[in-house]
Amino acid sequence: MPSSSTDLRRFPQVYVVEASAGSGKTYALAKRYVSLLLGSRPQPAETLLRNILAITFSNKATREMKERILDFLKRIALDSFSSPEQKKEIFSGLPADEASVRAEASSALEAIIGRYNYFQVQTIDSFINAILSGCAFRLGLSASFKIKTDDRPYLAYSLDALIDRAAGDKETASLFKTFLRQYLFLENKTGWFPKKDMLELITGLHGQMNYFGGDFLEAQAGLKQVQTLRRAVLTKVRQVEELAVPQTHAAFQKSLRSFLERHDEHFDLGDLSDYFRREEFPVTKDASVPARLAKLWQRLRAGLQALAEQESASLFDPYIAILREVLKDFAQLSSREDVLFLAELNRQARLLFEEGAVTVPELYYRLAARLRHFLIDEFQDTSRLQWRNLFLMVEEALATGGSLFYVGDKKQAIYRFRGGEVALFDAVKTKFRSFNLIEETLQRNYRSEKAIVDFTNRVFSPENLNRFLDEHGDPKGGIRFDEGETQEILGVFRSGLQTHDPRRRAGRVVVRRLEVKTREERDAAVRPTLVPLVGELASRFSYGGVAILTRKNDEVALLTEWLLAAGIPVESEKTLNIKNNAAIKELVSFLRFLNSPIDDLSFASFIIGDILSKATGVPKDDFHDFVFRARLKSEKRRGAYLYREFRRSFPQIWDDYFEGFFRGVGFVPLYELVTSVLGKLRCPQNFPG
């Protein structure tokens, strides 16, 4: 941070902060914001608020940053700090006159309370939406256009309209004929309803257009060229089998023979064995390969590469052609309904800037603010499209004495599928190097205990990463890393080593590797290990202090079931969603039964659940046995509805569970609400027969 005598608005500055997990990223952003707001400011607080834009990537991060900024301002204004060290840290970078700074902090708080809309800490989507709202007429939209998140129904409607037009338009019909030929012969797919696959792909392509901000180019590689290459590859595969020497790897010979028996012309590259990835013909150890066979193997591998490139180039051509026509209807429909989709925001903004529809001064006029200082969070996940939309404003700010402050962690770049590009982190730094660039790395981890920090340092150390890359460079044709790629990967993690907070000296890390091959084996190994471990941790920590991470949502559901079965309280997406609550499901089944008493399935799902068993004291197994016997009886005679059999088998429960059940299990708030509905249970006229 600059010294206390530095005027932050007089000198252009570019601050680049690399911050690993737990190192105070939000703290650094908030401190920078407060420094801009209070440091040597000749302007009113309201004006300065409108000059500063802080961009985050989630609503949660926005709330956290606002809370931290307001907390800093309150501590400064009230001179209320947790320690002298905290006060010294927060005041670093601010003018030395504490009384003046406290007065300015109070003024800033009043300005934020009075003009909260000037407090511009927001997600990048919110900011782009504000830009588009100010320039809506340029996009053919009204100033009150609606933002929607799901474009799939609009794409589906537009695709249906295009299919309808194919009946009377030869060019449109030709698009679908080309698609069907590829669908059958190149993709080797069958089925009566290819429209589902078509919609899935054009929806994905539309998303990629929006994330990367460009239009697709067709490769113009036709189906005939692909089929010609396929036949050439098959010919060479047959020649390889004929020339194979006795020392050929036995498993390769078997897979080669099987492949040729199953394929005469149409095949997928995925049908080929991994042996074809090897640079050398696969033979047993120390065996030699005849020169003719070696040359043929190289020609075959070159043919496979050409086929793969041609297939990948031509695969999307029919979909792109169809998407191009679908988007015409899509645009008309969106304009007619005055909607814009969330994924489109950045692409539409790019059109405004790059086609010269709006200049930076005009944009500021429409925003009723002029931005001088930009703070960007999670910069490693920023896409080139998002950066292009910000670039002109950032460049103008730097040229007129403003600043750019961005923070992130390159090894946490996880949004590549949405256009995020970690290379931007260093590219922007290089671009603005002439603007008094300041770089900083936050290395102290304030969140984790010492053992965890030490463990992650070992994992991301250059020695361990080099070992990992060496082990995964498959000499038999797998992934290979050259020196440049290795250095690029190591560069991403170079600033990742951390020091621990001296106050956090404990912690424990244990890694247990399970050698399993199937999901069933995994579950059988994990359950008896995980459940007792959580129980053991609960003897030393609260359940709320234990977190379990999985790779997939269905694994969350599975672990939740295991823990609940063991009597361990769990909070997860499965348990927090009221629709997944077992008691709610049983009550819904009961209400469905009341609505239609002949609904045996709903009645059965209610009586074999937990609620009725707990209310009556009857084991659930008794109700399970009853349902089984009643099912057999219903197959023998008509009209044997389940509720009738239940009334005969459990007359006391039938008469008493209305009041005894709801009061017995403690659903007292529900009692008054459902009494009138449950009262119908005693009215025979409401039941058939």
Side-chain angles (χ1 to χ4, degrees):
M1 286 297 180
S3 66
S4 59
S5 61
T6 301
D7 185 337
L8 295 170
R9 269 151 303 281
R10 188 172 299 167
F11 300 103
Q13 301 281 340
V14 176
Y15 292 91
V16 181
V17 179
E18 293 198 45
S20 296
S23 61
K25 171 173 60 71
T26 304
Y27 184 97
L29 283 161
K31 184 182 173 186
R32 170 64 179 171
Y33 191 100
V34 170
S35 296
L36 290 168
L37 197 58
L38 304 182
S40 181
R41 59 181 195 90
Q43 303 177 58
E46 290 184 4
T47 302
L48 287 171
L49 282 172
R50 300 173 72 177
N51 290 161
I52 306 171
L53 172 66
I55 291 175
T56 67
F57 277 80
S58 69
N59 291 323
K60 181 175 181 289
T62 297
R63 290 193 299 271
E64 289 177 354
M65 194 185 303
K66 284 184 173 180
E67 289 171 1
R68 186 65 63 88
I69 291 169
L70 292 172
D71 178 65
F72 281 179
L73 289 173
K74 286 191 292 183
R75 289 185 183 279
I76 294 170
L78 301 175
D79 195 20
S80 174
F81 299 93
S82 60
S83 65
E85 291 76 16
Q86 184 189 49
K87 179 177 181 178
K88 181 179 179 181
E89 172 63 23
I90 292 177
F91 264 90
S92 65
L94 294 175
D97 185 356
E98 290 189 15
S100 175
V101 172
R102 285 199 294 271
E104 290 178 357
S106 297
S107 177
L109 285 169
E110 291 177 5
I112 291 173
I113 294 171
R115 294 287 189 273
Y116 192 75
N117 58 310
Y118 291 176
F119 190 23
Q120 298 182 95
V121 180
Q122 55 191 297
T123 65
I124 190 166
D125 286 337
S126 297
F127 177 62
I128 297 299
N129 184 28
I131 291 176
L132 296 179
S133 296
C135 306
F137 72 100
R138 305 275 191 182
L139 304 172
L141 298 168
S142 73
S144 59
F145 68 86
K146 300 179 288 294
I147 294 288
K148 290 194 174 182
T149 57
D150 187 8
D151 60 0
R152 187 183 178 89
Y154 285 72
L155 288 170
Y157 180 89
S158 302
L159 177 59
D160 287 340
L162 186 65
I163 292 172
D164 289 342
R165 284 205 303 276
D169 182 69
K170 290 184 178 180
E171 290 187 7
T172 303
S174 177
L175 291 178
F176 288 106
K177 288 179 181 178
T178 302
F179 159 74
L180 287 172
R181 282 196 296 270
Q182 172 174 297
Y183 190 78
L184 296 172
F185 297 109
L186 179 59
E187 300 182 49
N188 289 333
K189 292 185 178 180
T190 58
W192 290 103
F193 303 105
K195 192 186 86 167
K196 181 180 178 181
D197 290 334
M198 188 188 305
L199 179 60
E200 287 290 337
L201 252 173
I202 67 172
T203 301
L205 290 174
H206 186 236
Q208 294 300 305
M209 284 181 62
N210 291 323
Y211 292 142
F212 292 94
D215 295 321
F216 290 105
L217 297 176
E218 295 177 58
Q220 303 298 333
L223 183 61
K224 289 184 179 179
Q225 295 99 308
V226 173
Q227 290 176 320
T228 299
L229 286 171
R230 271 186 178 163
R231 285 192 289 268
V233 165
L234 275 172
T235 298
K236 290 184 176 64
V237 172
R238 293 190 186 99
Q239 292 172 351
V240 165
E241 186 193 29
E242 293 170 1
L243 294 176
V245 294
Q247 295 85 3
T248 300
H249 199 291
F252 173 59
Q253 281 186 316
K254 182 179 179 181
S255 67
L256 192 63
R257 194 176 305 113
S258 174
F259 172 78
L260 290 172
E261 288 173 355
R262 290 182 288 112
H263 303 93
D264 54 356
E265 181 177 357
H266 303 297
F267 67 92
D268 288 329
L269 288 169
D271 296 332
L272 294 165
S273 73
D274 287 342
Y275 284 99
F276 286 94
R277 301 173 65 185
R278 298 191 179 188
E279 291 187 4
E280 306 296 335
F281 184 82
V283 292
T284 56
K285 188 176 182 181
D286 298 328
S288 60
V289 180
R292 183 182 175 189
L293 179 58
K295 289 181 180 179
L296 176 61
W297 182 253
Q298 295 305 319
R299 290 200 300 271
L300 171 59
R301 294 188 76 249
L304 285 171
Q305 180 178 342
L307 175 60
E309 292 174 354
Q310 193 83 324
E311 275 198 15
S312 61
S314 62
L315 178 63
F316 293 100
D317 277 4
Y319 296 98
I320 292 170
I322 291 171
L323 174 64
R324 187 176 294 115
E325 297 302 315
V326 165
L327 289 182
K328 294 177 182 178
D329 288 309
F330 180 83
Q332 292 177 1
L333 181 61
S334 301
S335 179
R336 187 165 61 247
E337 296 196 7
D338 200 28
V339 300
L340 200 62
F341 294 93
L342 187 63
E344 290 184 293
L345 294 180
N346 281 286
R347 187 164 67 93
Q348 293 289 352
R350 179 188 67 84
L351 296 176
L352 284 175
F353 289 116
E354 294 191 358
E355 295 182 2
V358 64
T359 63
V360 172
E362 180 185 354
L363 177 62
Y364 287 158
Y365 173 77
R366 298 189 180 282
L367 290 174
R370 182 180 181 182
L371 300 173
R372 300 286 305 280
H373 305 283
F374 291 81
L375 292 79
I376 306 176
D377 190 12
E378 304 291 4
F379 197 77
Q380 77 280 351
D381 288 325
T382 303
S383 71
R384 288 196 178 271
L385 176 58
Q386 290 169 328
W387 174 243
R388 287 206 302 266
N389 288 336
L390 295 172
F391 174 75
L392 290 178
M393 290 178 282
V394 172
E395 187 178 47
E396 193 269 349
L398 291 174
T400 56
S403 68
L404 168 66
F405 181 102
Y406 65 86
V407 60
D409 181 6
K410 288 185 285 187
K411 67 177 180 293
Q412 291 190 60
I414 59 173
Y415 282 100
R416 188 174 179 180
F417 68 96
R418 291 182 53 184
E421 190 165 336
V422 69
L424 266 178
F425 202 97
D426 291 329
V428 172
K429 186 166 51 176
T430 302
K431 174 72 175 177
F432 293 132
R433 188 164 293 279
S434 60
F435 286 99
N436 193 16
L437 177 70
I438 297 175
E439 298 182 68
E440 184 179 359
T441 300
L442 305 180
Q443 292 186 313
R444 176 164 293 182
N445 188 320
Y446 294 94
R447 181 186 304 160
S448 304
E449 298 290 344
K450 179 180 184 299
I452 297 173
V453 174
D454 291 343
F455 172 76
T456 55
N457 283 343
R458 288 197 301 273
V459 170
F460 294 118
S461 67
E463 297 78 17
N464 191 52
L465 291 173
N466 267 315
R467 180 191 59 78
F468 176 83
L469 296 177
D470 288 341
E471 290 179 357
H472 287 74
D474 184 1
K476 297 180 179 179
I479 300 172
R480 291 179 179 272
F481 299 101
D482 59 32
E483 182 62 25
E485 291 170 332
T486 299
Q487 291 305 314
E488 182 180 355
I489 293 170
L490 293 178
V492 170
F493 296 92
R494 190 162 288 126
S495 61
L497 301 184
Q498 296 182 299
T499 61
H500 69 280
D501 185 340
R503 294 167 296 181
R504 295 181 176 274
R505 303 190 57 83
R508 183 187 180 200
V509 177
V510 177
V511 177
R512 184 174 301 173
R513 188 185 299 274
L514 299 177
E515 299 294 341
V516 295
K517 296 181 179 180
T518 66
R519 180 173 179 173
E520 290 73 20
E521 289 179 358
R522 179 204 68 186
D523 295 347
V526 171
R527 185 172 187 173
T529 302
L530 176 68
V531 176
L533 177 60
V534 174
E536 188 270 329
L537 288 172
S539 65
R540 294 182 289 122
F541 307 98
S542 67
Y543 282 120
V546 179
I548 299 176
L549 305 180
T550 68
R551 297 188 69 87
K552 298 179 181 179
N553 287 332
D554 59 351
E555 294 169 356
V556 172
L558 180 64
L559 266 61
T560 298
E561 291 176 5
W562 293 351
L563 295 171
L564 290 176
I568 297 174
V570 180
E571 281 190 7
S572 69
E573 185 179 355
K574 180 180 176 65
T575 60
L576 294 177
N577 188 340
I578 192 171
K579 293 187 297 184
N580 293 327
N581 186 281
I584 297 298
K585 286 182 177 180
E586 291 176 32
L587 289 175
V588 169
S589 294
F590 180 70
L591 294 174
R592 283 176 177 163
F593 161 69
L594 290 181
N595 184 58
S596 177
I598 62 175
D599 185 350
D600 286 350
L601 181 61
S602 293
F603 187 64
S605 66
F606 172 70
I607 64 175
I608 65 176
D610 291 327
I611 293 177
L612 186 61
S613 176
K614 290 179 180 179
T616 61
V618 177
K620 286 197 293 184
D621 289 346
D622 290 4
F623 293 132
H624 276 268
D625 293 342
F626 159 75
V627 171
F628 180 74
R629 293 193 306 271
R631 175 61 180 165
L632 295 176
K633 187 176 295 185
S634 68
E635 293 176 354
K636 297 179 181 179
R637 60 188 182 89
R638 297 179 60 187
Y641 297 120
L642 193 60
Y643 81 89
R644 289 177 172 174
E645 300 301 325
F646 186 87
R647 186 164 53 189
R648 296 189 187 99
S649 301
F650 302 96
Q652 191 63 45
I653 294 176
W654 180 265
D655 289 338
D656 295 344
Y657 87 95
F658 161 54
E659 292 184 6
F661 158 65
F662 279 97
R663 292 189 184 280
V665 296
F667 281 80
V668 177
L670 288 174
Y671 177 73
E672 299 296 336
L673 178 64
V674 300
T675 294
S676 59
V677 179
L678 295 176
K680 297 179 181 179
L681 200 61
R682 294 186 180 275
C683 303
Q685 66 270 24
N686 290 318
F687 291 80

